[in-house]
Amino acid sequence: MTVANRDNVVFIVALLVGMAAAPGRVMAKEPGFHALELGIWGGYALPVGDAVADKRGGQSLAIQVRYRSPSGLGAYVEGSYAPLFSSKSLVNGDIPGHTVEMSNSLDAWMVIGGLGVDWRFLRLDAGLGLAMISMHSTIDRVTISPLSLNLVYSVAATAFFIDRVVRLGAGVRAYFASSSGLNFLLFTLNLGADVVRRH
Amino acid sequence: MRLCGLLIVAFVVTACGTPEWEMPVFNDGGLLKNATVPPDQASAHLEAVFRVDGPTSTFGDLVASRSRDGGVSFFSSANMGYAIMRPGCMDLAGGLVLEGYWRNATGGRTGLIRLFVEPPDAAAALCDGIAPTGPVDLHGTYGSGNDIPDLPIHLAWESPLKKTTPPFRVVAHRGGCRTSDQCGASENSLEVIRIAGSLGADAIEIDAQLTSDGIAILYHDPSFSDRLVEGTYCMGQVNEFPLAHIRALCRLEYGEQVPTLNDALRVVVEETSLVAVWIDIKTPDAIPACIAASAYWKERAKAIGREVRFVNGLYSDDMVDAWLQAEPPADAVCLVEMDPKDVRGAGCEVWAPRWTRGPMDSKVRKVQESGRTVAFWTLDESEFIDIVLKEARPNALCTNRPGLVFQRFQMVGESPWGPTP
């Protein structure tokens, strides 16, 4: 485990401990319900850190299934897509003999599961999952498309404007992909609905 | 509030990375700026075991020195310390000075060091290319970081270096050290191969695998990742990348190119005094390329009057099968990591067991008496190095701390059994 990955684990653990240690009981939106929520969110991915790129990020999309307990604590699973980087340039020197055109792009496909807590209008999530980073690179008309599987950690905060059976909100999600060293933020608009409610 | 506090602490921890080690340098060029390079034998005469008078907590009680490729290095087992220095004759002021940097590999302390050869008439003789009549001492100063060294240090000659027949070889893992050892260059780079001798190595171990267009390169892992390389688009299986993509997209952690096997062997033959290369072949399809490169550079070495041994490493039964199917030439040298019977079955010359299997002294002696050699891997701790050196008496140890193994051999090592390899 690299130092960065270890620190990311510290970050997630600290968040979970913080949730558990928060003063008083967390408040469910509508106490007393077990709920199964189906949601989608779309937004803009923004990678952070140094990178060779003409374009950073782009439109992302996800689908999420969440169980919420009467206390407001819950668990979720989500699948998402986020474009990360793309660039075009000329290569000279590294490939002896001639100058050639190079184009590259990176996308992330992720499956993440985690724990969340709903507290008043705010939702906090911490998750762990897998990210398949897909790279496409063309140099001198030769294209390669290798894949890289990464462990990914995520934390998220979402605030809801409409918070009933159907809910609408906006949030920010931070992702830390382990072996690629990629960190990125997603700014999201969230739409969800309780498809099952039981006392 | 408590949650916010935890998040802030966690964010600060996340933002902190591992500090990169920077080699200390004399900002004004030091005394070497106006000194001339002494004759080769001057450095060779400084090879010895010295007793440290002064900062033993930093450098230990005894350091062993040796000269390679124009420099003189000192190695200690305390804090896995070493100093890498260059000699110079000060024509105007007189005297022979050594300047360079010291580093504690454990703890990360580092700084500049400057030593003068004593007595003055011995220094003058060495600069004139004459062997002094007696042993020499070294005195001078060391410091912290790039500060001018001002803390006194004295090295008193203790004994000559131990030289055995057959010789014992220190093999530096991954070309000299791992990237994580922060020795100033990335593992499996041309740059680390160039400094391997000054780090204490007689030979190197390197990792070879094929690109998608069939070029053998030096790289350890099956995939490119931020553990070893930098580059936004440098990720995925190594064997999916043609060399052109690797050249354009990937840099090793200290900014170097990922080298080809041919480039690496050229550097060994033409730019170092290393006596052997252990090519750890990572995939069966790379075996023919490694055999061809070994044969070519063996001949090239001979042509310039050097003898370099190229040893092809086989770590599994599948690799041995692929080696035999490749029908290597009779003079191709191979190494097997499994058991002595596998070494004999593959017709190889070297047995390289993992050190965690124990010293296995009777097996080692049997292999050595059959005319083969034994190289344990990969030992980095003094305690275990001493056990293997004393009990197994191998021909070589592969290590990420070549200077430490060199120093420990000088302290406790004995001649390997069997004929000279």
Side-chain angles (χ1 to χ4, degrees):
Chain A
M1 181 178 283
T2 65
V3 170
N5 293 341
R6 186 196 65 207
D7 293 344
N8 293 339
V9 171
V10 168
F11 186 90
I12 303 294
V13 170
L15 183 67
L16 293 172
V17 170
M19 287 177 177
R25 280 178 63 81
V26 292
M27 299 290 290
K29 293 176 174 58
E30 294 180 46
F33 283 110
H34 292 275
L36 189 65
E37 179 185 326
L38 190 61
I40 58 168
W41 51 257
Y44 193 83
L46 183 64
V48 293
D50 297 334
V52 177
D54 300 328
K55 185 173 187 297
R56 288 166 171 269
Q59 277 70 41
S60 61
L61 193 65
I63 185 164
Q64 186 184 79
V65 179
R66 175 184 297 265
Y67 160 74
R68 229 177 40 245
S69 74
S71 69
L73 291 170
Y76 70 93
V77 177
E78 69 183 22
S80 57
Y81 163 79
L84 299 177
F85 300 106
S86 63
S87 64
K88 277 192 179 182
S89 59
L90 294 176
V91 185
N92 188 12
D94 292 331
I95 303 164
H98 55 309
T99 300
V100 296
E101 190 177 282
M102 171 170 72
S103 63
N104 308 302
S105 67
L106 276 186
D107 304 303
W109 299 84
M110 295 174 285
V111 177
I112 291 175
L115 300 173
V117 58
D118 284 284
W119 187 45
R120 298 183 182 167
F121 62 92
L122 195 64
R123 172 176 288 171
L124 297 175
D125 291 330
L128 179 66
L130 293 173
M132 183 66 81
I133 310 285
S134 158
M135 197 274 273
H136 302 280
S137 176
T138 302
I139 297 177
D140 206 13
R141 295 188 294 277
V142 176
T143 298
I144 59 171
S145 299
L147 300 172
S148 171
L149 191 63
N150 287 241
L151 201 60
V152 64
Y153 317 104
S154 135
V155 290
T158 309
F160 290 100
F161 322 122
I162 299 169
D163 197 8
R164 301 178 187 283
V165 173
V166 173
R167 56 185 55 85
L168 183 66
V172 61
R173 318 178 80 78
Y175 294 86
F176 312 92
S178 60
S179 60
S180 64
L182 289 171
N183 297 331
F184 52 99
L185 297 172
L186 280 171
F187 299 96
T188 60
L189 274 176
N190 302 55
L191 176 65
D194 290 350
V195 292
V196 178
R197 276 187 167 191
R198 294 241 170 90
H199 279 288
Chain B
M1 287 304 291
R2 208 183 310 168
L3 174 61
C4 291
L6 279 166
L7 285 172
I8 290 166
V9 169
F11 181 78
V12 170
V13 171
T14 306
C16 297
T18 307
E20 289 259 333
W21 176 68
E22 285 188 22
M23 183 187 301
V25 290
F26 285 91
N27 289 326
D28 61 355
L31 298 177
L32 290 184
K33 185 175 60 179
N34 298 316
T36 55
V37 178
D40 287 345
Q41 58 266 39
S43 296
H45 199 81
L46 299 175
E47 292 189 332
V49 174
F50 292 92
R51 180 164 295 281
V52 180
D53 180 12
T56 53
S57 62
T58 302
F59 297 107
D61 295 324
L62 293 169
V63 296
S65 71
R66 59 175 230 171
S67 64
R68 284 292 184 283
D69 307 325
V72 181
S73 302
F74 296 81
F75 304 105
S76 160
S77 51
N79 309 305
M80 297 188 184
Y82 60 87
I84 296 179
M85 310 178 78
R86 292 263 153 199
C89 292
M90 299 182 294
D91 297 331
L92 294 177
L96 176 57
V97 65
L98 297 167
E99 280 186 341
Y101 67 91
W102 65 273
R103 179 168 179 258
N104 283 165
T106 52
R109 296 173 62 218
T110 188
L112 295 170
I113 184 167
R114 174 182 286 150
L115 298 172
F116 296 90
V117 174
E118 285 186 329
D121 57 338
L126 287 169
C127 283
D128 290 339
I130 302 164
T133 51
V136 298
D137 290 351
L138 298 157
H139 88 282
T141 51
Y142 73 102
S144 181
N146 282 338
D147 296 346
I148 297 297
D150 58 358
L151 300 169
I153 180 172
H154 182 256
L155 304 180
W157 191 91
E158 177 81 7
S159 63
L161 285 189
K162 188 184 294 176
K163 292 187 176 169
T164 62
T165 305
F168 171 77
R169 304 297 192 195
V170 181
V171 183
H173 193 216
R174 300 196 188 171
C177 71
R178 293 168 302 186
T179 301
S180 57
D181 295 318
Q182 298 196 321
C183 65
S186 302
E187 67 185 54
N188 282 314
S189 67
L190 301 183
E191 286 72 9
V192 84
I193 292 170
R194 289 186 178 108
I195 63 171
S198 61
L199 290 171
D202 303 304
I204 55 169
E205 181 264 9
I206 53 177
D207 302 291
Q209 54 184 309
L210 285 190
T211 62
S212 66
D213 50 349
I215 311 290
I217 59 164
L218 265 54
Y219 195 75
H220 179 269
D221 294 356
S223 297
F224 290 120
S225 74
D226 72 339
R227 198 180 79 78
L228 296 178
V229 288
E230 293 181 338
T232 310
Y233 306 101
C234 187
M235 59 179 69
Q237 293 280 320
V238 172
N239 62 9
E240 293 186 50
F241 282 71
L243 184 63
H245 283 73
I246 296 171
R247 288 274 192 257
L249 300 174
C250 303
R251 290 290 181 277
L252 297 170
E253 286 290 329
Y254 282 76
E256 309 97 328
Q257 285 277 11
V258 176
T260 64
L261 177 62
N262 267 312
D263 284 343
L265 299 189
R266 179 189 58 73
V267 167
V268 169
V269 169
E270 296 180 355
E271 299 182 32
T272 75
S273 55
L274 297 166
V275 298
V277 182
W278 168 355
I279 305 169
D280 189 0
I281 309 174
K282 307 310 280 187
T283 54
D285 60 356
I287 286 175
C290 293
I291 292 172
S294 300
Y296 176 79
W297 286 104
K298 184 180 173 184
E299 290 307 312
R300 287 285 302 158
K302 266 188 194 161
I304 60 170
R306 293 203 58 214
E307 187 164 343
V308 183
R309 202 167 186 230
F310 297 95
V311 182
N312 294 277
L314 311 169
Y315 63 84
S316 69
D317 292 335
D318 289 344
M319 293 295 290
V320 169
D321 291 343
W323 171 263
L324 295 173
Q325 281 170 13
E327 297 179 355
D331 62 346
V333 181
C334 57
L335 166 158
V336 168
E337 295 183 13
M338 292 82 80
D339 284 312
K341 66 176 171 48
D342 301 310
V343 181
R344 289 191 300 273
C348 291
E349 294 76 9
V350 186
W351 179 38
R354 185 194 282 259
W355 74 271
T356 49
R357 295 169 65 182
M360 301 182 286
D361 47 307
S362 60
K363 275 188 181 178
V364 169
R365 186 167 180 172
K366 218 169 173 180
V367 170
Q368 289 171 324
E369 286 176 345
S370 73
R372 297 182 171 89
T373 55
V374 180
F376 280 81
W377 59 277
T378 297
L379 284 112
D380 295 339
E381 304 290 334
S382 293
E383 178 188 358
F384 302 117
I385 292 168
D386 286 2
I387 290 171
V388 172
L389 285 175
K390 285 193 280 192
E391 296 184 21
R393 297 172 64 171
N395 302 83
L397 287 188
C398 182
T399 177
N400 295 298
R401 311 283 190 197
L404 177 66
V405 171
F406 171 75
Q407 197 265 1
R408 294 319 302 160
F409 181 77
Q410 292 303 320
M411 298 299 113
V412 304
E414 293 184 59
S415 173
W417 300 108
T420 303

